[in-house]
Amino acid sequence: WSRPAREIDALIRGQSEPYAGAFTFTSKRRVTLWAAEPFVPSIAYVAHAGQIVGYDSTRPIVLCGDSSFLRIDRYSTADDAPLTGEVRFRANQG
């Protein structure tokens, strides 16, 4: 999440189906990202890179490292639970 939104978007597109998907983690679970798009919000946000700052309809908007934003259009989790609340994604630590 320290990279610009365009780079993360390219990674997600490159790893999408038929491949295994790009993934990230919250504090509780692995999240597979299938589709995303750089996003320009209509309001300003103060947050950390990787933090969900809001929603466009039901799609999470995440702050990226260069202060750009990425809208997560399609994702999956093992329990199929939606991403809600103050979620912050983190990088794979190994």
Side-chain angles (χ1 to χ4, degrees), residues 51-73:
Q51 186 172 350
I52 294 176
V53 297
Y55 295 85
D56 179 28
S57 185
T58 60
R59 298 172 293 188
I61 300 167
V62 183
L63 177 67
C64 298
D66 66 345
S67 297
S68 59
F69 296 86
L70 191 67
R71 184 183 66 211
I72 307 300
D73 293 333

Side-chain angles (χ1 to χ4, degrees), residues 27-79:
S27 60
K28 298 179 181 179
R29 60 189 163 178
R30 177 179 160 145
V31 179
T32 303
L33 306 173
W34 298 107
E37 184 175 331
F39 184 81
V40 179
S42 58
I43 61 174
Y45 292 98
V46 176
H48 298 282
Q51 186 172 350
I52 294 176
V53 297
Y55 295 85
D56 179 28
S57 185
T58 60
R59 298 172 293 188
I61 300 167
V62 183
L63 177 67
C64 298
D66 66 345
S67 297
S68 59
F69 296 86
L70 191 67
R71 184 183 66 211
I72 307 300
D73 293 333
R74 194 162 57 92
Y75 65 90
S76 60
T77 61
D79 58 4

